[in-house]
Amino acid sequence: MAIDTSKISKLGFGCMRFPGREDDAINIDDISKMVDAYLEAGGNYFDTAWAYPNSEVALGKALVARHPRDSFYIATKCVAWNHCNGQEDLERQLQESLANLGVEYVDVYLMHNLGGRRTAAFDKYDAWEFMKSVKERGLAKHIGFSAHCTPEELETFIADYPEAELVQLQVNYLDWDSPSFRERECVEIANKHGKPIVVMEPVKGGLLADPPQAVKDVIDEAMPNDSYATAALRFTASVEGVFTTLSGMSTLEQVQDNVRAFANFEPLSDAELAAIERAQEIMAESDIVPCTGCAYCEKVCPQGIGIAGSMTALNYYINFGDPYAANYQLGFVVRFNMGKAMMTECIQCGACEGACPQNIPILECFERIEEEILPFSRKQVLMKP
């Protein structure tokens, strides 16, 4: 039976960013208050994953142990591209997830983070056949996949996994028409194939909760009752085919802010949508690198460097002034999607600049990244897979 999306709340609770104490232990008391506030406001969809440290255990204690099982939906995920050497490990992950959560079944089970080189691991271990067996055994009510991918990859996934009942995709107004992410195209493909969409990263890891001042001014005028984060959430919740938008909430105040915006949800009005479009234009018109994502540079790079992804990371730094967030973006885009090597492996041959139709001084951009972003590195970001 297909998933009945009409019964699922428009605002989903993303459980990757649960709060911790100073020793980084999960704070069950705080999480319980957040869960209660979310449920009391009508929310009912919780998204976690086996790979999120302590998240499933915390959700089991704060939610499952304290509320009736039929009052909520739980989605969790398995991963094949890390800590996995075959279907026996996929089964181990599943059993650990069920035990961590304290449930006999999950409502939604997803293959976690398809796209780029990660996809090969799922294919190698015949993970989709495993997913189907999970549903057949009654251990998951519904199955699907999450993906950071190109539209072309998404078409392939939908063809290869026809039993997938839903897809989880990154969608936010910053990357909606980005040549690197092409989120609008991915949404259109999911809609074409009738796949309901769960949105992840609607606030782009928190960047859109504190956008550039010019963007704040536009949103303040058009949506005076919305925070910048809820304006971003309302954008994704208004997109055709989206049945729930996940917000990675980490404080009670964030929960209260988000549920207030969804209490009597209405899609963005024409005036509000125009404001979001203006916000998109402002960030596109800022002093950013004019990279269109054509990747001609990458075709001639002898090192296989993810140049377009590096430009995307630099543009995040220019727009938001946050080197840590830009460094994370550098690692995420380059390591997973846009190239085989980091820009630190550049041999300064200049072939990329000769191929660039926008005449971008790519080597100078690399120098800026090295000087202004890389010093703020998180070790896990720069590690190659």
Side-chain angles (χ1 to χ4, degrees):
M1 181 181 295
I3 187 169
D4 185 353
T5 58
S6 68
K7 294 182 179 179
I8 295 175
S9 56
K10 292 288 287 184
L11 175 67
F13 198 133
C15 302
M16 186 172 68
R17 298 182 175 90
F18 277 153
R21 301 185 189 277
E22 290 183 2
D23 61 359
D24 292 328
I26 291 293
N27 190 327
I28 299 300
D29 290 342
D30 286 354
I31 295 170
S32 296
K33 293 175 183 177
M34 294 163 60
V35 164
D36 292 351
Y38 172 72
L39 289 171
E40 289 169 7
N44 63 7
Y45 190 89
F46 294 84
D47 174 87
T48 184
W50 175 84
Y52 297 164
N54 298 319
S55 177
E56 291 178 331
V57 171
L59 195 61
K61 293 178 179 178
L63 173 67
V64 178
R66 301 175 57 251
H67 294 277
R69 180 65 182 91
D70 61 358
S71 66
F72 54 82
Y73 296 82
I74 290 181
T76 193
K77 315 176 190 76
C78 67
V79 58
W81 40 267
N82 196 15
H83 299 292
C84 183
N85 292 299
Q87 287 203 6
E88 64 277 7
D89 282 332
L90 293 175
E91 181 68 28
R92 173 180 56 81
Q93 290 180 29
L94 170 65
Q95 296 302 328
E96 287 181 5
S97 289
L98 295 173
N100 289 339
L101 291 163
V103 297
E104 295 182 352
Y105 68 91
V106 293
D107 299 282
V108 175
Y109 202 49
L110 304 173
M111 293 195 297
H112 189 180
N113 201 9
L114 290 165
R117 288 171 285 165
R118 302 178 304 284
T119 305
F122 289 98
D123 293 339
K124 178 180 179 180
Y125 303 132
D126 209 4
W128 189 245
E129 289 302 313
F130 170 77
M131 295 291 291
K132 291 192 291 184
S133 79
V134 173
K135 182 176 179 180
E136 290 166 359
R137 287 181 281 160
L139 301 179
K141 299 294 185 182
H142 309 283
I143 55 175
F145 59 86
S146 73
H148 291 274
C149 63
T150 66
E152 292 80 10
E153 287 177 310
L154 183 58
E155 283 277 14
T156 299
F157 300 153
I158 291 173
D160 289 347
Y161 316 131
E163 300 87 357
E165 300 170 65
L166 69 159
V167 298
Q168 186 163 313
L169 301 173
Q170 175 176 306
V171 180
N172 58 74
Y173 72 75
L174 179 62
D175 296 327
W176 182 238
D177 287 310
S178 162
S180 296
F181 292 94
R182 301 165 66 191
E183 291 176 355
R184 183 198 295 269
E185 294 178 63
C186 287
V187 166
E188 290 172 349
I189 287 169
N191 287 336
K192 179 180 69 174
H193 292 284
K195 302 295 183 182
I197 301 168
V198 178
V199 164
M200 57 183 166
E201 296 292 350
V203 194
K204 194 60 182 178
L207 287 176
L208 297 180
D210 187 24
Q213 186 59 49
V215 171
K216 290 180 179 179
D217 293 341
V218 170
I219 292 176
D220 285 343
E221 181 176 354
M223 291 174 266
N225 296 321
D226 285 347
S227 69
Y228 307 119
T230 55
L233 293 170
R234 288 186 60 218
F235 168 80
T236 59
S238 301
V239 170
E240 180 184 358
V242 171
F243 71 89
T244 194
T245 292
L246 302 176
S247 176
M249 297 176 279
S250 56
T251 68
L252 179 60
E253 291 72 24
Q254 289 175 356
V255 175
Q256 293 168 337
D257 178 50
N258 290 348
V259 300
R260 185 165 48 247
F262 281 77
N264 297 292
F265 179 79
E266 293 289 340
L268 292 180
S269 66
D270 290 344
E272 291 170 330
L273 185 58
I276 292 295
E277 291 173 350
R278 179 56 188 147
Q280 292 168 327
E281 292 170 358
I282 288 170
M283 285 188 278
E285 292 168 354
S286 63
D287 187 25
I288 62 173
V289 180
C291 176
T292 64
C294 71
Y296 293 161
C297 53
E298 296 177 8
K299 291 180 172 64
V300 301
C301 177
Q303 299 294 91
I305 293 171
I307 300 171
S310 299
M311 298 304 104
T312 298
L314 179 55
N315 282 336
Y316 270 86
Y317 175 62
I318 292 170
N319 265 320
F320 297 101
D322 185 340
Y324 293 100
N327 208 333
Y328 180 80
Q329 184 68 24
L330 178 69
F332 179 80
V333 175
V334 177
R335 179 158 59 98
F336 286 159
N337 293 323
M338 301 296 289
K340 298 178 182 179
M342 297 294 291
M343 50 145 285
T344 49
E345 298 184 37
C346 175
I347 59 174
Q348 301 284 308
C349 69
C352 54
E353 294 186 350
C356 179
Q358 307 301 322
N359 297 315
I360 297 170
I362 295 172
L363 299 183
E364 291 182 12
C365 292
F366 279 0
E367 290 178 3
R368 184 172 182 186
I369 291 171
E370 187 168 4
E371 293 174 0
E372 301 181 41
I373 298 176
L374 291 188
F376 297 88
S377 166
R378 304 170 186 175
K379 291 183 179 179
Q380 67 270 27
V381 171
L382 290 180
M383 286 175 60
K384 294 169 62 177

mmCIF file of all heavy atoms in Angstrom, residues 26-69:
data_model
loop_
_atom_site.group_PDB
_atom_site.id
_atom_site.type_symbol
_atom_site.label_atom_id
_atom_site.label_comp_id
_atom_site.label_asym_id
_atom_site.label_seq_id
_atom_site.Cartn_x
_atom_site.Cartn_y
_atom_site.Cartn_z
ATOM 1 N N ILE A 26 23.815 13.366 24.539
ATOM 2 C CA ILE A 26 22.489 13.802 24.137
ATOM 3 C C ILE A 26 21.682 14.219 25.362
ATOM 4 O O ILE A 26 21.666 13.536 26.392
ATOM 5 C CB ILE A 26 21.759 12.656 23.395
ATOM 6 C CG1 ILE A 26 22.427 12.414 22.032
ATOM 7 C CG2 ILE A 26 20.304 12.979 23.207
ATOM 8 C CD1 ILE A 26 22.275 13.537 21.053
ATOM 9 N N ASN A 27 21.008 15.341 25.262
ATOM 10 C CA ASN A 27 20.226 15.889 26.364
ATOM 11 C C ASN A 27 18.774 15.435 26.219
ATOM 12 O O ASN A 27 17.979 16.067 25.518
ATOM 13 C CB ASN A 27 20.332 17.411 26.350
ATOM 14 C CG ASN A 27 19.739 18.044 27.594
ATOM 15 O OD1 ASN A 27 18.771 17.534 28.147
ATOM 16 N ND2 ASN A 27 20.319 19.152 28.026
ATOM 17 N N ILE A 28 18.425 14.333 26.860
ATOM 18 C CA ILE A 28 17.095 13.748 26.704
ATOM 19 C C ILE A 28 16.006 14.669 27.241
ATOM 20 O O ILE A 28 14.917 14.765 26.659
ATOM 21 C CB ILE A 28 17.022 12.368 27.392
ATOM 22 C CG1 ILE A 28 18.030 11.408 26.749
ATOM 23 C CG2 ILE A 28 15.604 11.797 27.285
ATOM 24 C CD1 ILE A 28 17.812 11.177 25.280
ATOM 25 N N ASP A 29 16.279 15.374 28.325
ATOM 26 C CA ASP A 29 15.273 16.281 28.885
ATOM 27 C C ASP A 29 14.895 17.358 27.878
ATOM 28 O O ASP A 29 13.707 17.627 27.649
ATOM 29 C CB ASP A 29 15.792 16.926 30.170
ATOM 30 C CG ASP A 29 15.900 15.939 31.322
ATOM 31 O OD1 ASP A 29 15.260 14.872 31.235
ATOM 32 O OD2 ASP A 29 16.622 16.225 32.289
ATOM 33 N N ASP A 30 15.886 17.991 27.286
ATOM 34 C CA ASP A 30 15.613 19.038 26.304
ATOM 35 C C ASP A 30 14.926 18.471 25.069
ATOM 36 O O ASP A 30 13.993 19.072 24.524
ATOM 37 C CB ASP A 30 16.912 19.732 25.898
ATOM 38 C CG ASP A 30 17.442 20.667 26.978
ATOM 39 O OD1 ASP A 30 16.737 20.862 27.991
ATOM 40 O OD2 ASP A 30 18.560 21.179 26.821
ATOM 41 N N ILE A 31 15.386 17.308 24.618
ATOM 42 C CA ILE A 31 14.779 16.702 23.425
ATOM 43 C C ILE A 31 13.323 16.334 23.697
ATOM 44 O O ILE A 31 12.451 16.516 22.840
ATOM 45 C CB ILE A 31 15.582 15.469 22.984
ATOM 46 C CG1 ILE A 31 16.980 15.896 22.545
ATOM 47 C CG2 ILE A 31 14.880 14.741 21.842
ATOM 48 C CD1 ILE A 31 17.923 14.735 22.314
ATOM 49 N N SER A 32 13.039 15.844 24.879
ATOM 50 C CA SER A 32 11.669 15.484 25.228
ATOM 51 C C SER A 32 10.749 16.701 25.175
ATOM 52 O O SER A 32 9.609 16.617 24.688
ATOM 53 C CB SER A 32 11.632 14.860 26.630
ATOM 54 O OG SER A 32 12.356 13.645 26.659
ATOM 55 N N LYS A 33 11.216 17.835 25.655
ATOM 56 C CA LYS A 33 10.415 19.061 25.595
ATOM 57 C C LYS A 33 10.176 19.477 24.151
ATOM 58 O O LYS A 33 9.069 19.926 23.792
ATOM 59 C CB LYS A 33 11.122 20.179 26.359
ATOM 60 C CG LYS A 33 11.207 19.952 27.863
ATOM 61 C CD LYS A 33 12.033 21.044 28.537
ATOM 62 C CE LYS A 33 12.176 20.770 30.027
ATOM 63 N NZ LYS A 33 13.043 21.785 30.697
ATOM 64 N N MET A 34 11.195 19.339 23.320
ATOM 65 C CA MET A 34 11.052 19.683 21.910
ATOM 66 C C MET A 34 10.060 18.750 21.215
ATOM 67 O O MET A 34 9.189 19.189 20.455
ATOM 68 C CB MET A 34 12.414 19.614 21.226
ATOM 69 C CG MET A 34 13.405 20.659 21.704
ATOM 70 S SD MET A 34 15.117 20.257 21.245
ATOM 71 C CE MET A 34 14.992 20.215 19.463
ATOM 72 N N VAL A 35 10.192 17.445 21.494
ATOM 73 C CA VAL A 35 9.283 16.461 20.904
ATOM 74 C C VAL A 35 7.850 16.737 21.331
ATOM 75 O O VAL A 35 6.914 16.717 20.510
ATOM 76 C CB VAL A 35 9.717 15.040 21.322
ATOM 77 C CG1 VAL A 35 8.607 14.029 21.066
ATOM 78 C CG2 VAL A 35 10.984 14.634 20.572
ATOM 79 N N ASP A 36 7.645 17.021 22.607
ATOM 80 C CA ASP A 36 6.296 17.278 23.114
ATOM 81 C C ASP A 36 5.684 18.509 22.443
ATOM 82 O O ASP A 36 4.507 18.499 22.050
ATOM 83 C CB ASP A 36 6.330 17.481 24.623
ATOM 84 C CG ASP A 36 6.689 16.204 25.374
ATOM 85 O OD1 ASP A 36 6.739 15.132 24.732
ATOM 86 O OD2 ASP A 36 6.936 16.290 26.595
ATOM 87 N N ALA A 37 6.470 19.579 22.316
ATOM 88 C CA ALA A 37 5.957 20.806 21.700
ATOM 89 C C ALA A 37 5.593 20.568 20.241
ATOM 90 O O ALA A 37 4.576 21.076 19.749
ATOM 91 C CB ALA A 37 7.003 21.917 21.819
ATOM 92 N N TYR A 38 6.409 19.801 19.560
ATOM 93 C CA TYR A 38 6.154 19.485 18.151
ATOM 94 C C TYR A 38 4.883 18.652 18.000
ATOM 95 O O TYR A 38 4.022 18.951 17.162
ATOM 96 C CB TYR A 38 7.363 18.759 17.581
ATOM 97 C CG TYR A 38 7.189 18.192 16.200
ATOM 98 C CD1 TYR A 38 7.131 19.020 15.079
ATOM 99 C CD2 TYR A 38 7.109 16.812 16.009
ATOM 100 C CE1 TYR A 38 6.984 18.486 13.801
ATOM 101 C CE2 TYR A 38 6.961 16.273 14.745
ATOM 102 C CZ TYR A 38 6.902 17.112 13.639
ATOM 103 O OH TYR A 38 6.747 16.577 12.378
ATOM 104 N N LEU A 39 4.735 17.618 18.818
ATOM 105 C CA LEU A 39 3.541 16.776 18.745
ATOM 106 C C LEU A 39 2.287 17.556 19.123
ATOM 107 O O LEU A 39 1.233 17.423 18.473
ATOM 108 C CB LEU A 39 3.698 15.567 19.665
ATOM 109 C CG LEU A 39 4.711 14.495 19.241
ATOM 110 C CD1 LEU A 39 4.909 13.488 20.367
ATOM 111 C CD2 LEU A 39 4.264 13.783 17.974
ATOM 112 N N GLU A 40 2.371 18.369 20.153
ATOM 113 C CA GLU A 40 1.214 19.151 20.593
ATOM 114 C C GLU A 40 0.737 20.116 19.515
ATOM 115 O O GLU A 40 -0.454 20.441 19.451
ATOM 116 C CB GLU A 40 1.556 19.912 21.875
ATOM 117 C CG GLU A 40 1.698 19.016 23.100
ATOM 118 C CD GLU A 40 2.302 19.741 24.284
ATOM 119 O OE1 GLU A 40 2.494 20.979 24.186
ATOM 120 O OE2 GLU A 40 2.595 19.083 25.303
ATOM 121 N N ALA A 41 1.654 20.551 18.663
ATOM 122 C CA ALA A 41 1.296 21.475 17.579
ATOM 123 C C ALA A 41 0.785 20.738 16.340
ATOM 124 O O ALA A 41 0.470 21.381 15.333
ATOM 125 C CB ALA A 41 2.507 22.328 17.212
ATOM 126 N N GLY A 42 0.736 19.408 16.411
ATOM 127 C CA GLY A 42 0.206 18.649 15.284
ATOM 128 C C GLY A 42 1.250 17.979 14.422
ATOM 129 O O GLY A 42 0.914 17.328 13.420
ATOM 130 N N GLY A 43 2.528 18.113 14.757
ATOM 131 C CA GLY A 43 3.579 17.456 13.994
ATOM 132 C C GLY A 43 3.600 15.963 14.277
ATOM 133 O O GLY A 43 3.249 15.531 15.380
ATOM 134 N N ASN A 44 4.029 15.167 13.287
ATOM 135 C CA ASN A 44 4.037 13.717 13.532
ATOM 136 C C ASN A 44 5.091 12.938 12.751
ATOM 137 O O ASN A 44 5.090 11.705 12.780
ATOM 138 C CB ASN A 44 2.651 13.117 13.237
ATOM 139 C CG ASN A 44 2.234 13.259 11.774
ATOM 140 O OD1 ASN A 44 3.011 13.690 10.919
ATOM 141 N ND2 ASN A 44 0.989 12.892 11.483
ATOM 142 N N TYR A 45 6.028 13.626 12.060
ATOM 143 C CA TYR A 45 6.997 12.913 11.215
ATOM 144 C C TYR A 45 8.408 13.203 11.705
ATOM 145 O O TYR A 45 8.867 14.355 11.701
ATOM 146 C CB TYR A 45 6.853 13.355 9.765
ATOM 147 C CG TYR A 45 7.643 12.524 8.761
ATOM 148 C CD1 TYR A 45 7.086 11.386 8.181
ATOM 149 C CD2 TYR A 45 8.935 12.885 8.381
ATOM 150 C CE1 TYR A 45 7.790 10.623 7.247
ATOM 151 C CE2 TYR A 45 9.654 12.127 7.456
ATOM 152 C CZ TYR A 45 9.072 11.008 6.889
ATOM 153 O OH TYR A 45 9.783 10.266 5.970
ATOM 154 N N PHE A 46 9.108 12.136 12.129
ATOM 155 C CA PHE A 46 10.463 12.261 12.666
ATOM 156 C C PHE A 46 11.432 11.546 11.731
ATOM 157 O O PHE A 46 11.237 10.380 11.384
ATOM 158 C CB PHE A 46 10.542 11.647 14.058
ATOM 159 C CG PHE A 46 9.728 12.364 15.094
ATOM 160 C CD1 PHE A 46 8.368 12.089 15.231
ATOM 161 C CD2 PHE A 46 10.298 13.322 15.916
ATOM 162 C CE1 PHE A 46 7.599 12.748 16.184
ATOM 163 C CE2 PHE A 46 9.548 13.985 16.872
ATOM 164 C CZ PHE A 46 8.179 13.701 17.002
ATOM 165 N N ASP A 47 12.495 12.243 11.353
ATOM 166 C CA ASP A 47 13.481 11.704 10.417
ATOM 167 C C ASP A 47 14.825 11.550 11.118
ATOM 168 O O ASP A 47 15.400 12.525 11.608
ATOM 169 C CB ASP A 47 13.633 12.629 9.215
ATOM 170 C CG ASP A 47 14.748 12.190 8.280
ATOM 171 O OD1 ASP A 47 14.481 11.361 7.389
ATOM 172 O OD2 ASP A 47 15.890 12.667 8.441
ATOM 173 N N THR A 48 15.331 10.326 11.157
ATOM 174 C CA THR A 48 16.637 10.059 11.749
ATOM 175 C C THR A 48 17.404 9.134 10.812
ATOM 176 O O THR A 48 17.008 8.932 9.671
ATOM 177 C CB THR A 48 16.484 9.457 13.167
ATOM 178 O OG1 THR A 48 17.773 9.285 13.746
ATOM 179 C CG2 THR A 48 15.737 8.144 13.146
ATOM 180 N N ALA A 49 18.516 8.587 11.286
ATOM 181 C CA ALA A 49 19.315 7.674 10.464
ATOM 182 C C ALA A 49 20.258 6.898 11.362
ATOM 183 O O ALA A 49 20.705 7.398 12.407
ATOM 184 C CB ALA A 49 20.113 8.431 9.400
ATOM 185 N N TRP A 50 20.575 5.686 10.939
ATOM 186 C CA TRP A 50 21.542 4.866 11.667
ATOM 187 C C TRP A 50 22.880 5.589 11.789
ATOM 188 O O TRP A 50 23.575 5.452 12.795
ATOM 189 C CB TRP A 50 21.722 3.541 10.923
ATOM 190 C CG TRP A 50 22.773 2.647 11.496
ATOM 191 C CD1 TRP A 50 22.633 1.759 12.534
ATOM 192 C CD2 TRP A 50 24.143 2.547 11.074
ATOM 193 N NE1 TRP A 50 23.836 1.113 12.781
ATOM 194 C CE2 TRP A 50 24.776 1.585 11.895
ATOM 195 C CE3 TRP A 50 24.894 3.163 10.073
ATOM 196 C CZ2 TRP A 50 26.113 1.230 11.748
ATOM 197 C CZ3 TRP A 50 26.226 2.824 9.927
ATOM 198 C CH2 TRP A 50 26.827 1.866 10.755
ATOM 199 N N ALA A 51 23.225 6.402 10.798
ATOM 200 C CA ALA A 51 24.522 7.069 10.771
ATOM 201 C C ALA A 51 24.560 8.354 11.595
ATOM 202 O O ALA A 51 25.631 8.940 11.751
ATOM 203 C CB ALA A 51 24.922 7.381 9.330
ATOM 204 N N TYR A 52 23.420 8.824 12.130
ATOM 205 C CA TYR A 52 23.425 10.031 12.951
ATOM 206 C C TYR A 52 23.807 9.639 14.388
ATOM 207 O O TYR A 52 23.045 8.912 15.047
ATOM 208 C CB TYR A 52 22.049 10.693 12.982
ATOM 209 C CG TYR A 52 21.523 11.192 11.654
ATOM 210 C CD1 TYR A 52 20.168 11.507 11.508
ATOM 211 C CD2 TYR A 52 22.358 11.344 10.551
ATOM 212 C CE1 TYR A 52 19.671 11.975 10.301
ATOM 213 C CE2 TYR A 52 21.861 11.802 9.341
ATOM 214 C CZ TYR A 52 20.515 12.117 9.222
ATOM 215 O OH TYR A 52 20.016 12.565 8.026
ATOM 216 N N PRO A 53 24.930 10.099 14.896
ATOM 217 C CA PRO A 53 25.386 9.669 16.224
ATOM 218 C C PRO A 53 24.350 9.917 17.310
ATOM 219 O O PRO A 53 23.883 11.043 17.499
ATOM 220 C CB PRO A 53 26.635 10.523 16.453
ATOM 221 C CG PRO A 53 27.119 10.859 15.076
ATOM 222 C CD PRO A 53 25.868 11.028 14.251
ATOM 223 N N ASN A 54 23.951 8.859 17.992
ATOM 224 C CA ASN A 54 23.047 8.906 19.148
ATOM 225 C C ASN A 54 21.618 9.342 18.832
ATOM 226 O O ASN A 54 20.771 9.380 19.725
ATOM 227 C CB ASN A 54 23.601 9.832 20.242
ATOM 228 C CG ASN A 54 24.931 9.360 20.774
ATOM 229 O OD1 ASN A 54 25.140 8.166 20.972
ATOM 230 N ND2 ASN A 54 25.853 10.286 20.997
ATOM 231 N N SER A 55 21.328 9.668 17.586
ATOM 232 C CA SER A 55 20.018 10.211 17.255
ATOM 233 C C SER A 55 18.899 9.203 17.471
ATOM 234 O O SER A 55 17.860 9.526 18.068
ATOM 235 C CB SER A 55 20.010 10.698 15.803
ATOM 236 O OG SER A 55 18.731 11.176 15.427
ATOM 237 N N GLU A 56 19.086 7.979 16.980
ATOM 238 C CA GLU A 56 18.027 6.977 17.129
ATOM 239 C C GLU A 56 17.778 6.653 18.600
ATOM 240 O O GLU A 56 16.627 6.537 19.033
ATOM 241 C CB GLU A 56 18.392 5.710 16.360
ATOM 242 C CG GLU A 56 18.366 5.872 14.849
ATOM 243 C CD GLU A 56 18.790 4.609 14.122
ATOM 244 O OE1 GLU A 56 19.590 3.829 14.686
ATOM 245 O OE2 GLU A 56 18.330 4.396 12.992
ATOM 246 N N VAL A 57 18.834 6.502 19.368
ATOM 247 C CA VAL A 57 18.685 6.199 20.796
ATOM 248 C C VAL A 57 17.918 7.314 21.489
ATOM 249 O O VAL A 57 16.997 7.073 22.295
ATOM 250 C CB VAL A 57 20.067 5.998 21.452
ATOM 251 C CG1 VAL A 57 19.926 5.909 22.974
ATOM 252 C CG2 VAL A 57 20.737 4.746 20.915
ATOM 253 N N ALA A 58 18.281 8.558 21.193
ATOM 254 C CA ALA A 58 17.609 9.695 21.813
ATOM 255 C C ALA A 58 16.142 9.746 21.420
ATOM 256 O O ALA A 58 15.269 10.015 22.262
ATOM 257 C CB ALA A 58 18.309 10.993 21.408
ATOM 258 N N LEU A 59 15.847 9.474 20.160
ATOM 259 C CA LEU A 59 14.455 9.498 19.709
ATOM 260 C C LEU A 59 13.662 8.380 20.376
ATOM 261 O O LEU A 59 12.490 8.562 20.726
ATOM 262 C CB LEU A 59 14.408 9.354 18.188
ATOM 263 C CG LEU A 59 13.083 9.715 17.511
ATOM 264 C CD1 LEU A 59 12.735 11.174 17.771
ATOM 265 C CD2 LEU A 59 13.161 9.448 16.009
ATOM 266 N N GLY A 60 14.305 7.238 20.561
ATOM 267 C CA GLY A 60 13.634 6.156 21.255
ATOM 268 C C GLY A 60 13.233 6.541 22.671
ATOM 269 O O GLY A 60 12.136 6.217 23.140
ATOM 270 N N LYS A 61 14.121 7.251 23.371
ATOM 271 C CA LYS A 61 13.845 7.641 24.752
ATOM 272 C C LYS A 61 12.861 8.812 24.843
ATOM 273 O O LYS A 61 11.970 8.810 25.702
ATOM 274 C CB LYS A 61 15.152 8.012 25.447
ATOM 275 C CG LYS A 61 16.105 6.840 25.642
ATOM 276 C CD LYS A 61 17.406 7.286 26.308
ATOM 277 C CE LYS A 61 18.349 6.099 26.516
ATOM 278 N NZ LYS A 61 19.634 6.523 27.130
ATOM 279 N N ALA A 62 13.040 9.802 23.974
ATOM 280 C CA ALA A 62 12.230 11.019 24.076
ATOM 281 C C ALA A 62 10.862 10.887 23.419
ATOM 282 O O ALA A 62 9.908 11.560 23.831
ATOM 283 C CB ALA A 62 12.986 12.193 23.454
ATOM 284 N N LEU A 63 10.754 10.012 22.444
ATOM 285 C CA LEU A 63 9.502 9.877 21.693
ATOM 286 C C LEU A 63 8.834 8.520 21.926
ATOM 287 O O LEU A 63 7.745 8.437 22.481
ATOM 288 C CB LEU A 63 9.770 10.068 20.197
ATOM 289 C CG LEU A 63 8.591 9.786 19.258
ATOM 290 C CD1 LEU A 63 7.486 10.818 19.457
ATOM 291 C CD2 LEU A 63 9.048 9.757 17.798
ATOM 292 N N VAL A 64 9.506 7.458 21.490
ATOM 293 C CA VAL A 64 8.872 6.136 21.475
ATOM 294 C C VAL A 64 8.464 5.680 22.868
ATOM 295 O O VAL A 64 7.365 5.149 23.058
ATOM 296 C CB VAL A 64 9.815 5.100 20.826
ATOM 297 C CG1 VAL A 64 9.190 3.711 20.861
ATOM 298 C CG2 VAL A 64 10.136 5.505 19.392
ATOM 299 N N ALA A 65 9.333 5.904 23.837
ATOM 300 C CA ALA A 65 9.048 5.441 25.197
ATOM 301 C C ALA A 65 7.999 6.290 25.909
ATOM 302 O O ALA A 65 7.486 5.876 26.961
ATOM 303 C CB ALA A 65 10.332 5.424 26.024
ATOM 304 N N ARG A 66 7.641 7.415 25.331
ATOM 305 C CA ARG A 66 6.773 8.358 26.041
ATOM 306 C C ARG A 66 5.453 8.655 25.345
ATOM 307 O O ARG A 66 4.610 9.346 25.918
ATOM 308 C CB ARG A 66 7.537 9.676 26.274
ATOM 309 C CG ARG A 66 8.815 9.506 27.091
ATOM 310 C CD ARG A 66 9.614 10.795 27.199
ATOM 311 N NE ARG A 66 8.852 11.888 27.772
ATOM 312 C CZ ARG A 66 8.432 12.936 27.076
ATOM 313 N NH1 ARG A 66 8.721 13.037 25.775
ATOM 314 N NH2 ARG A 66 7.743 13.881 27.673
ATOM 315 N N HIS A 67 5.284 8.172 24.130
ATOM 316 C CA HIS A 67 4.075 8.500 23.371
ATOM 317 C C HIS A 67 3.540 7.262 22.657
ATOM 318 O O HIS A 67 4.313 6.366 22.298
ATOM 319 C CB HIS A 67 4.373 9.601 22.351
ATOM 320 C CG HIS A 67 4.731 10.916 22.981
ATOM 321 N ND1 HIS A 67 3.787 11.815 23.428
ATOM 322 C CD2 HIS A 67 5.947 11.480 23.251
ATOM 323 C CE1 HIS A 67 4.393 12.881 23.937
ATOM 324 N NE2 HIS A 67 5.703 12.701 23.847
ATOM 325 N N PRO A 68 2.223 7.206 22.417
ATOM 326 C CA PRO A 68 1.641 6.052 21.719
ATOM 327 C C PRO A 68 2.255 5.867 20.341
ATOM 328 O O PRO A 68 2.483 6.843 19.615
ATOM 329 C CB PRO A 68 0.153 6.423 21.628
ATOM 330 C CG PRO A 68 -0.071 7.408 22.710
ATOM 331 C CD PRO A 68 1.200 8.186 22.834
ATOM 332 N N ARG A 69 2.506 4.611 19.981
ATOM 333 C CA ARG A 69 3.189 4.320 18.706
ATOM 334 C C ARG A 69 2.402 4.808 17.506
ATOM 335 O O ARG A 69 2.995 5.145 16.469
ATOM 336 C CB ARG A 69 3.433 2.799 18.593
ATOM 337 C CG ARG A 69 4.152 2.381 17.299
ATOM 338 C CD ARG A 69 5.558 2.955 17.255
ATOM 339 N NE ARG A 69 6.254 2.627 16.024
ATOM 340 C CZ ARG A 69 6.248 3.376 14.917
ATOM 341 N NH1 ARG A 69 5.532 4.504 14.893
ATOM 342 N NH2 ARG A 69 6.934 3.020 13.856
#
